[in-house]
Amino acid sequence: MTGPDIDRQWWKEAVIYQVYPRSFNDTDGNGVGDLPGVVEKMDYLDDLGVDVVWLNPVYESPGADNGYDIADYRAIDDEFGSMSDWEELLEGLHDRDIKLIMDLVVNHTSDEHEWFQESRKSKDNEYRDYYIWREGRKVDREGGPYGPSGEAPPNNWESFFGGPAWSYDEETGEWYLHIFDQKQPDLNWENPAVREEIYDMMEWWLEKGIDGFRMDVINLLSKPEGLPDSDDEDALVVGADHFMNGPHIHDYLSEMHEKVIEKYDAVTVGEMAAIDAEQARSYAEDGMSMAFTFDHLRLDFGPNGRWSHGTFGLPELKRAMSYWQEGLGDQGWNAIFFGNHDEPRILSRFGNDGVYRAESAKLLGTLLMTLQGTPYVFQGDELGMTNYPFESLDEVRDVDTLKNVRLAREDGRFSDEAELLDVVRRRSRDNARTPMQWNTDEYAGFTDGEPWIPVNPNYEVVNVEAERDDYDSVWHYYRGLVDLRHDCEVLVYGDYDLFFPDHDDLWVFTRTLGDEQALVALNVSDTSTQFEPPASVAGADADLLAANYDDIDDVDSVDPTDLQPWEARVYKLA
């Protein structure tokens, strides 16, 4: 993909910054971040140099899953502000040449959405077929859950949040499907009326001026006929082999692209668990700009999956990431991320959040900005924010964490509370949701009230004000990386080639675009490591484009050297 063959797109050349508004900036003192709070910080985003803001849901919602349970797709929740606040944000971002993409959550709605409220009234209601309702099954076994008449759920599928993916509704005596929380009933995408409602809503937002959508769990939309039981023991959850990448998913997404997306210069990024590179390429053919994939985020799963802890080495991480670098090199496009609102902090998961906090945060930023694909920065990662040191479940707010903890206790999976809390500290989505750390004021300058979730106690050291005053900080390094990516086309469109795939400490690769070439050398360890350049570039004339240590002598070639703990270097080869 070189020279005139480059398929240039604005979203390929962009750096995207994810704003989780509930935890970004609170202006009314109620402890919850809001849209005026994002408006207030637009200059901060502009100063960082990002090109796009991805805004997590701010739609009307009862908040069972922090806004991913939507009650009205065309209304702003009062907790976040008003539609005029949102319009002010859109206008302000566009005035700063920053685009805005919104979350599209259409696998499910809230059970408080008017469609579902109507759907549950009777079996012949006109909205009944907007959702997936089934009769229960008669069984002769102990255990639950059961409806009042003794039947079990329609099949054995499980929810990602733990327990059955079905809930019984007494009003009509049937069960409805919810792959997530019971307050998030799945929409029935087989119904053309549902699809037309969704497409009309998407066009409504695009006409308001947004620049695209991040599509929540978009490859779960299609469920197979008959909703059969699952017997796949390797599935992420029971049933995922049936409801992930279902039989009509490509029909739906191609239709969505044809009826809505292709009319606009809009980006679409799909959240897609459990796909491979071939499937990703097929989604690109449906019109999907890029996809979030999760192989690298499952490396630390333990014997009981996500709610147990496992270990991995750098070779496994390189293998997981390089698979996608190579698999989508010429067809499709990568969305590069190491964390978001659903994952632990990248620094605590992949770096060293202690002695080498700043160095490893800078190294991870270097990796993020130099891999092939569009980089996504989650709020606070540009500061080196870390996981929260949970001391009690009283500090946890996440419905996913709390439900899985309850189920783990019931199953006796943890020997004691200390072991359970250790997994919560490593795994809870709340790690990423603690308030943005702006300064050393009470509650890190996030709010004048009591925050909805505790502030990480390290805010007195890790905060925007302190880091912007320190030119050697993580923030300033990230700012430089954003500029570097904007300035170096090879870092956007260049081919990726990995060296030393089995090295336990070094991650070394080149990016090549025609006659241009960059070399990235990372020491992903707590100890100094000897770097012997690959033979193809050893001794080559080079300029040092980025380095996260400032005690490096003048560099004019690629020579053997000791890389210090968590040292990162980016060379431009002459």
Side-chain angles (χ1 to χ4, degrees):
M1 188 168 60
T2 59
D5 296 328
I6 293 175
D7 178 20
R8 299 177 188 277
Q9 302 286 347
W10 65 262
W11 41 267
K12 292 181 177 179
E13 300 170 7
V15 174
I16 300 180
Y17 187 93
Q18 182 185 353
V19 170
Y20 192 71
R22 176 175 294 273
S23 299
F24 194 62
N25 185 35
D26 171 31
T27 59
D28 61 10
N30 69 351
V32 176
D34 45 44
L35 286 169
V38 186
V39 169
E40 190 174 82
K41 299 297 184 180
M42 287 189 295
D43 284 340
Y44 171 80
L45 300 171
D46 195 26
D47 290 345
L48 188 58
V50 299
D51 306 286
V52 183
V53 166
W54 156 26
L55 188 69
N56 282 105
V58 290
Y59 313 103
E60 185 176 313
S61 167
D65 188 22
N66 284 8
Y68 282 90
D69 48 319
I70 297 172
D72 188 340
Y73 286 107
R74 304 190 195 205
I76 300 298
D77 196 281
D78 291 342
E79 193 169 46
F80 293 116
S82 65
M83 185 61 76
S84 62
D85 293 325
W86 180 88
E87 290 167 348
E88 182 181 1
L89 173 63
L90 178 69
E91 181 180 5
L93 290 174
H94 282 179
D95 286 346
R96 292 165 174 80
D97 293 323
I98 300 174
K99 297 180 185 295
L100 177 65
I101 62 176
M102 298 283 282
D103 241 307
L104 183 76
V105 187
V106 291
N107 175 72
H108 49 265
T109 69
S110 167
D111 65 347
E112 298 184 27
H113 194 291
E114 108 178 273
W115 298 343
F116 189 75
Q117 291 295 303
E118 288 294 321
S119 178
R120 75 193 317 173
K121 284 181 179 179
S122 68
K123 294 180 182 179
D124 58 1
N125 188 281
E126 63 177 316
Y127 287 96
R128 185 69 169 183
D129 200 35
Y130 273 45
Y131 297 87
I132 300 173
W133 292 92
R134 295 290 187 275
E135 294 182 352
R137 295 191 293 187
K138 302 295 183 182
V139 293
D140 183 20
R141 59 181 173 82
E142 294 183 358
Y146 299 115
S149 59
E151 76 273 14
N155 65 24
N156 68 345
W157 294 2
E158 293 181 347
S159 161
F160 278 105
F161 289 176
W166 297 91
S167 285
Y168 182 79
D169 186 71
E170 295 185 0
E171 187 69 27
T172 57
E174 289 191 336
W175 301 71
Y176 64 88
L177 179 69
H178 55 86
I179 299 301
F180 295 92
D181 190 70
Q182 66 180 10
K183 289 184 67 62
Q184 295 170 291
D186 279 45
L187 286 163
N188 177 20
W189 272 73
E190 288 189 10
N191 184 348
V194 169
R195 302 201 299 274
E196 288 302 320
E197 294 264 23
I198 296 302
Y199 302 156
D200 188 57
M201 175 269 293
M202 293 172 66
E203 191 153 15
W204 187 83
W205 280 105
L206 287 163
E207 283 296 316
K208 289 184 75 67
I210 70 168
D211 301 287
F213 294 102
R214 176 266 186 185
M215 298 180 168
D216 186 64
V217 296
I218 198 67
N219 63 326
L220 306 190
L221 303 184
S222 176
K223 280 76 176 181
E225 184 177 354
L227 307 180
D229 277 346
S230 170
D231 57 7
D232 185 351
E233 296 180 356
D234 296 324
L236 284 176
V237 296
V238 176
D241 53 314
H242 291 307
F243 58 70
M244 285 184 170
N245 310 304
H248 300 296
I249 186 63
H250 294 291
D251 298 331
Y252 300 154
L253 294 184
S254 294
E255 181 181 72
M256 177 190 291
H257 184 76
E258 179 182 347
K259 291 195 172 187
V260 184
I261 300 298
E262 71 177 7
K263 301 175 186 177
Y264 303 86
D265 184 21
V267 64
T268 53
V269 53
E271 181 189 31
M272 295 187 177
I275 63 171
D276 59 25
E278 181 179 358
Q279 290 170 314
R281 291 192 292 269
S282 68
Y283 282 114
E285 292 175 0
D286 298 332
M288 190 68 64
S289 304
M290 54 185 142
F292 289 125
T293 59
F294 295 85
D295 296 355
H296 59 305
L297 300 182
R298 298 199 182 102
L299 295 175
D300 58 357
F301 285 16
N304 291 314
R306 187 163 62 101
W307 288 96
S308 58
H309 180 61
T311 59
F312 66 94
L314 182 63
E316 288 80 14
L317 180 58
K318 288 187 286 189
R319 192 173 304 122
M321 296 300 294
S322 298
Y323 168 81
W324 287 100
Q325 293 288 289
E326 295 157 3
L328 297 185
D330 295 317
Q331 185 181 359
W333 193 255
N334 283 294
I336 305 299
F337 77 111
F338 290 96
N340 58 30
H341 64 292
D342 282 335
E343 302 291 341
R345 282 286 175 182
I346 67 172
L347 179 55
S348 297
R349 192 176 200 174
F350 296 107
N352 179 318
D353 58 10
V355 175
Y356 296 109
R357 183 192 67 83
E359 292 85 355
S360 62
K362 292 176 182 179
L363 179 144
L364 291 169
T366 306
L367 179 61
L368 182 74
M369 296 291 180
T370 57
L371 288 171
Q372 186 278 329
T374 300
Y376 287 74
V377 179
F378 180 68
Q379 65 183 45
D381 286 343
E382 76 276 18
L383 307 176
M385 284 180 62
T386 64
N387 280 355
Y388 184 87
F390 293 101
E391 295 296 332
S392 165
L393 290 176
D394 293 337
E395 298 172 305
V396 174
R397 303 290 180 267
D398 177 33
V399 59
D400 175 34
T401 302
L402 293 173
K403 187 170 184 179
N404 277 285
V405 163
R406 176 176 60 79
L407 292 171
R409 280 173 166 164
E410 291 173 359
D411 295 343
R413 271 184 264 152
F414 296 107
S415 59
D416 54 33
E417 286 295 296
E419 183 184 2
L420 185 152
L421 273 174
D422 179 66
V423 173
V424 168
R425 291 187 196 105
R426 295 177 185 273
R427 188 69 65 217
S428 177
R429 301 189 302 179
D430 280 347
N431 281 303
R433 300 178 181 188
T434 59
M436 184 71 172
Q437 295 165 204
W438 295 103
N439 55 43
T440 59
D441 293 347
E442 187 177 19
Y443 304 131
F446 163 70
T447 181
D448 292 332
E450 181 79 20
W452 73 277
I453 190 172
V455 176
N456 195 307
N458 67 7
Y459 76 90
E460 293 186 353
V461 175
V462 182
N463 63 75
V464 170
E465 188 176 89
E467 296 213 9
R468 294 195 68 174
D469 286 343
D470 177 6
Y471 284 93
D472 192 37
S473 68
V474 177
W475 189 92
H476 278 281
Y477 188 80
Y478 259 81
R479 180 68 186 85
L481 288 172
V482 173
D483 280 345
L484 178 63
R485 192 173 185 280
H486 287 156
D487 293 341
C488 293
E489 195 170 67
V490 66
L491 296 180
V492 179
Y493 293 112
D495 294 331
Y496 168 93
D497 290 290
L498 177 70
F499 298 92
F500 318 129
D502 297 321
H503 199 293
D504 290 331
D505 298 325
L506 294 180
W507 193 337
V508 180
F509 57 91
T510 54
R511 301 293 308 282
T512 306
L513 183 66
D515 295 332
E516 291 186 71
Q517 191 169 48
L519 171 70
V520 180
L522 311 172
N523 176 20
V524 191
S525 76
D526 292 342
T527 59
S528 293
T529 302
Q530 176 70 20
F531 168 56
E532 294 285 347
S536 60
V537 299
D541 293 341
D543 293 324
L544 197 60
L545 297 179
N548 63 344
Y549 277 80
D550 60 6
D551 59 351
I552 301 171
D553 294 333
D554 290 340
V555 171
D556 56 16
S557 61
V558 182
D559 300 315
T561 187
D562 279 330
L563 292 179
Q564 300 175 74
W566 297 96
E567 183 171 352
R569 296 189 181 192
V570 182
Y571 300 85
K572 180 180 180 181
L573 304 183

